[in-house]
Amino acid sequence: MNILDKIIFDKKREVVLKKSIIPVSQLESSVFFGRETISLSQKLKTSSTGIIAEHKRRSPSKSIINQNFTVEEVAKGYESAGACGISVLTDGKYFGGSLDDLLLARASVNIPLLRKEFIVDEYQILEAKAFGADLILLIAAVLTREEIKLLSEFAKKLGLEVLLEVHNQEELEKSIMPTLDMIGVNNRNLKTFEVSLDFSKQLASQIPDDFVKVSESGISSIEAIQELKPYGYKGFLIGENFMKTDNAGQAATEFIKNLSL
Ligand SMILES: O=P(O)(O)OC[C@@H](O)[C@@H](O)c1c[nH]c2ccccc12
C-alpha cells in the first residue's frame, strides 16, 4: 500500500467511527451551519496575488514542520498578510490537524476557509460546514467520477465551493463537471512525494476556462508564481514555505508584499 492508500484506509474507518458518535443532527445544529459562506473563487478571480496560505503542522513527506504556533495566530497572520483564503488541514493522524483547528480559525478570521481533508463521505462535508469552512477539497486520485459528482453536488447544496485536486491528465479528464468551482493541480505526487511545478505547467491548457486554476504545493518563491501565472493560474496554495519559518504570518506578509511589487 502506498501512503495515500493508507491514509484513505484509515480515513474510512475514522468516518464510520465518528458517524456512530456524533449524529448528523448535531452537526446541523452548529451555529455555523446556517452561516453564509464566502466565495474563494470570486476572490481569486479579482486578486493580483492569489495566495491561499495553509496551516500545516506536519506531513507524511516532511514529518514535523512546526508545532509552535497556535492556529489563531497563524490564521490572523495570514489574513493580515492579505491571503485570499486559508487552507486548514484537519487530518489528525498524518498532518497533526483537527476540526477544532478549523473552528478556531473560523472564529479568528473573515476570509474563506478550506477544509483540507481526505473526503470520502458526505458526512465529512457536513462537518466542514458545521465547523465553519467555505469550501472543501476533493482529491481525484482517491474518488471515482460518480463519487466526485455526488460529493460535489452535496457540497454545493450546502453552499460550499469545491476545489478539485488533480495530478495528471487522466484524473482531470474523468473529473470535469459543472459542480466544481476550482481545479487545483497538485505539484506533489501524493503517492511518491515527487514535487515539480511542471505538473501545473503541463496540465494548464487542458483545464477548461470555466474553472479557476490553482497550483498547489512546492511553491517557495515569487519566481515560481511568476512562472505559473502565464499558464492561467489564479490561485497558489502555499503551506510549508510559510509554516517552516518562526513567524508564518510575517513570512506570508513579506511574500505577498514582494509579489505585489
Ligand atoms: O506545503 P506545500 O508544499 O506548500 O503544499 C501545500 C498543499 O498544497 C499541500 O499540503 C497539499 C496539497 N494537496 C493536499 C492534499 C492533502 C494534504 C495536503 C495537501
Side-chain angles (χ1 to χ4, degrees), residues 4 7 52-56 58-62 65 87 89 91 95 114 116-118 137 139 163 165 185-188 190 195 214-220 236-243:
L4 192 54
I7 295 176
I52 307 160
E54 184 161 279
H55 179 262
K56 183 179 185 183
R58 57 182 159 88
S59 71
S61 63
K62 286 283 156 64
I65 301 166
S87 161
L89 270 152
D91 173 76
F95 290 87
L114 164 65
K116 188 58 119 37
E117 181 57 82
F118 298 85
L137 180 77
I139 303 175
L163 169 62
E165 172 175 310
V185 178
N186 196 347
N187 297 310
R188 182 178 294 112
L190 292 176
V195 182
V214 177
S215 181
E216 311 174 357
S217 311
I219 300 172
S220 57
F236 307 93
L237 180 48
I238 304 183
E240 205 186 302
N241 185 57
F242 300 148
M243 288 298 291

